[in-house]
Amino acid sequence: VTLISYRMLVALASDMTSRPWEMVIVDESHILRTTQRTIDSQQTEAVVGLVSTCEHCVMLSGTPGVCKPFDLFRQVDALVPGLLGDDKFKFARQYCVVQDKLEKGSSCGYLRGCSREWELNLLLTNSVMIRRLKRDVMA
């Protein structure tokens, strides 16, 4: 068992990904955000790189879902590559409300809210997402 912070994982990414891991548990996974830039944050890239080398992964978060589904793309894609499509910008055009104005360094417009919520919810709950309420777990 190895416990490591996001910051330390960034510093040791090449060492951590060079070892075979049977399982990785990512706590506070909501920290891993998808950005509108070609490459996401160092910690997101480091975790996704580590997850891609392991046999099993569990991502945990007690934080309610984000209001932009775009933020979930890298987490879900790390768990099941290709489930949401092969490109985060195509995913954004399909499931996010996209405004025309481009953000600096972005390949699509500003992202606001969710389109096709029912479809995305169905896809996620049938494949990667389990939601437990505190009252149910603590009973």
Side-chain angles (χ1 to χ4, degrees):
V1 174
T2 301
L3 297 175
I4 190 167
S5 68
Y6 287 113
R7 184 177 294 187
M8 188 60 71
L9 178 59
V10 169
L12 299 174
S14 60
D15 290 336
M16 295 296 289
T17 56
S18 68
R19 298 174 182 199
W21 297 99
E22 190 171 324
M23 176 170 236
V24 171
I25 299 174
V26 181
D27 194 20
E28 302 296 339
S29 66
H30 61 274
I31 292 171
L32 308 175
R33 295 281 173 94
T34 307
T35 67
Q36 291 187 31
R37 292 181 169 68
T38 305
I39 297 175
D40 292 318
S41 72
Q42 288 182 327
Q43 65 188 20
T44 297
E45 295 295 335
V47 171
V48 169
L50 181 62
V51 167
S52 70
T53 67
C54 74
E55 193 172 327
H56 304 284
C57 178
V58 175
M59 292 197 183
L60 305 170
S61 179
T63 301
V66 293
C67 61
K68 293 186 298 188
F70 188 69
D71 289 338
L72 296 172
F73 181 84
R74 287 303 298 270
Q75 293 177 63
V76 174
D77 196 58
L79 292 171
V80 183
L83 178 68
L84 300 178
D86 59 353
D87 178 274
K88 64 184 177 180
F89 300 110
K90 289 178 188 174
F91 169 77
R93 287 187 289 277
Q94 187 171 2
Y95 290 106
C96 302
V97 176
V98 181
Q99 294 179 342
D100 292 333
K101 186 176 179 182
L102 288 177
E103 184 176 316
K104 186 177 181 180
S106 173
S107 296
C108 62
Y110 284 119
L111 302 175
R112 304 277 186 245
C114 183
S115 63
R116 301 166 68 172
E117 285 179 46
W118 63 271
E119 181 182 330
L120 183 58
N121 184 37
L122 187 64
L123 178 64
L124 294 175
T125 54
N126 285 328
S127 57
V128 296
M129 188 169 63
I130 299 172
R131 182 170 185 230
R132 299 288 183 254
L133 299 175
K134 191 176 195 178
R135 69 173 183 256
D136 298 334
V137 175
M138 301 302 283

